[in-house]
Amino acid sequence: MNKPVDPRLLQNAEAFADYVANTAARIDAGAEAKALAQGARVGISRPHESAALHVAGEATYVDDIPELTGTLHCALGLSPVAAGRLTGMSLEVIRAMPGVVDVITAADIPGSNDCGSIIHDDPILCSGDIRYLGQPVFAVLATTRNEARRAAARAKEVLQVEAAAPVLGPREAHEKGLYVLPPMHMSRRTTEGGARAAIDRAPHRFKTTFDVGGQEQFYLEGQISYAIPKEGGAMLVHCSTQHPSEMQHLVSHALALHANEVQVECRRMGGGFGGKESQSALFACVAAVAASKLRRPVKLRPDRDDDFLITGRRHCFWYEYEVGYDDEGRVLGAEVTMVSRAGHSADLSGPVMTRALCHFDNAYWLPDVEMHGYSGKTNTQSNTAFRGFGGPQGAIAIENILDTVARKLGRDPLDVRRANFYGKGERNVTPYRQPVTDNVIDELVTQLETSSDYRQRREAVSAFNAGSPVLKRGLALTPIKFGISFNMPHFNQAGALVHVYTDGSILVNHGGTEMGQGLNTKVAQVVAHELGVRFERVRATATDTAKVANTSATAASTGADLNGKAAQDAARQIRERLAACAAARHGGKAEEVRFANDRVLVNGREFDFSTLVAEAYTDRVQLWSDGFYATPGLHWDRDTMTGHPFYYFAYGAAVSEVVVDTLTGEWKLLRADVLHDAGRSLNPAVDIGQVEGAFIQGMGWLTTEELVWHPKTGMLSTHAPSTYKIPTANDCPPVFNVRLFEGDNFEDSIHRSKAVGEPPLLLPFSVFYAIRDAVSAAGGHRVDPPLRAPATSEAILDAITAVRAG
């Protein structure tokens, strides 16, 4: 519940806002001050619109909403086995427990027992086949959360099951031919015989396998939904979700209602990272079904352990690839098989695999390539979206290939990467046939190579290793090219509403969701810039399906691109109406009216924005407008796996230096230098924060965050912070240089900016390959290190043992 705020917290909030607004020398404060004075509201480093509320504890999340009288609390009874059949339930024992009001099962769902995102293959509650250990079977409704949890915890005692042997790993699923979707194939032939012939003709070739683990989103705020029955059987659901419209549709299907009878609202999330794109549906549907049946408000907030056991995460991948290359390290032909652990249902595994295949090329021209994608069906949680959405899993495969090529040739990995870069005007078409027309990778890498002293540090690392038998250092520079847009063209649309009130204050509502990434801040900046007013005049409100309908998920790094453009469209219409009003009243031409710094200049006269708004209201001018935007030029053929799926590409590169203890496998990141392409940044402070956060999160995926399932029971052993290790502040490097690459977006994005949500997560590839470099040094660079990801201390020791054995 919200409480009076301690003044000391407010002081801390103000200090934090000052820090964000003045992000040291990485931002040109002088240029920003000049732009601000000239009336610009974009390209300016502003604090997050809720920064002070976050620090002071005033920001309202779903669990902070005051509970209505009669609210019940829900907890889920989970399957104790990973595979088999549910044969019966003795729920009388549960119903008799203290505080329990009711227990609901699949039979209580009035509509469809399904929460599948694309394919309808994901039951809300188990009604027969058991798919994974932790699958919800029933829901307990009690007067308190603890009473509901105690009752649900007795699931193992009351469920009758016939257990079967589970299939847990992607390779096992592949060997058994078990998939949640048909396989995908993408190829490109530039020479006779394609990839197979190119590999056979190549001067050098190798074939191997590689494993990359999954990753838990570990949002600070867990999954939560609060369902409130409304008149006429309608339902209001407060849900921590990245996709309110999808929650609206799935809840309406579960309740057998029309979409207009279900309202979903989300003011903010305490993190999402893709974990709340589709997987918030189960919790929203269960809470709504219970609330509908009992006609009482129902809150469902699972414990962190249950959240781990119920929800999916980033797909782990197993790869098998064969590559042919020349003496310079240029790839001539490649064939790769990617198999993901999809889990028990399809969820978003299809789009994830599509994006993985589309990002196998990363920043490199691959003349002849064959790619095969398989989404393995396993008795585990249904894996889902995670920041990068398959892109990191696709790109890391080619990075591993090029790192191996460099070591086999005895060349610097950066030189091999450069030899394979996309060109300009030639060697610039992706395997899925989209031309790379905005290529800045060579200039960006050259700039970073110089600013980070890469060549000098490479020599210093070699000298250090020559005199250090136990501690070994490693250095790596890796680039990224990341496509921006949803794989499905029709998702690339957005709507917004802008209201100007008679006192000159402005309200904006759009279809995107705020999860801490600063989306509302950027959209408010866009609206303020378009209307020529102070940022403080603009307020963004909760995402609400009753205000902007049929929205896309806030995902695929499109939040600011889509919703910023929609809000700009709405604000532009209001500005044009105001300009026409000003010209009609004061003379001159409407197109010559200027709005800047809260002032309006018309026909030689200047007055306050609020004055013009009041005049427009008197003249019955419409002071609100809707806006809409659809990304142009996108198309995709799912059958041929070709088209133009991305509006533009975001680029970046990072240099990382590590030290590895060869006796223990421990390692430390000593320094990281990052240069990322954000186009003409809407908010440099927010964007730099996003790059920093993505780098550390991606580093966790590749180094410490290991998911382990018990090989016989299928129990996820790493289901809590005690066993699942995300990076902490101590894992940040003591030297962390993050800068934004200067340059406008080639395409007409919102103010020529570029997305910064997902692309930077690929930057810490440099950390993994720096560790690989250090492991290689432990064997005198004679053997290519068989290092798997995540590169835990155990994995590092295994690789060191292998390279020393020769």
Side-chain angles (χ1 to χ4, degrees), residues 301-320:
R301 175 169 66 88
D303 177 80
R304 176 71 68 176
D305 293 73
D306 288 348
D307 195 323
F308 260 84
L309 291 174
I310 295 168
T311 63
R313 44 200 59 86
R314 185 188 299 282
H315 297 68
C316 72
F317 270 55
W318 175 80
Y319 311 84
E320 184 176 42

Side-chain angles (χ1 to χ4, degrees), residues 756-767:
V756 291
E758 294 175 302
L761 192 131
L762 285 69
L763 293 168
F765 285 0
S766 58
V767 176

Side-chain angles (χ1 to χ4, degrees), residues 459-482:
E459 293 177 1
V461 164
S462 297
F464 175 87
N465 289 338
S468 177
V470 174
L471 299 180
K472 297 293 182 182
R473 290 195 177 189
L475 184 72
L477 189 159
T478 58
I480 62 167
K481 173 183 69 66
F482 194 92

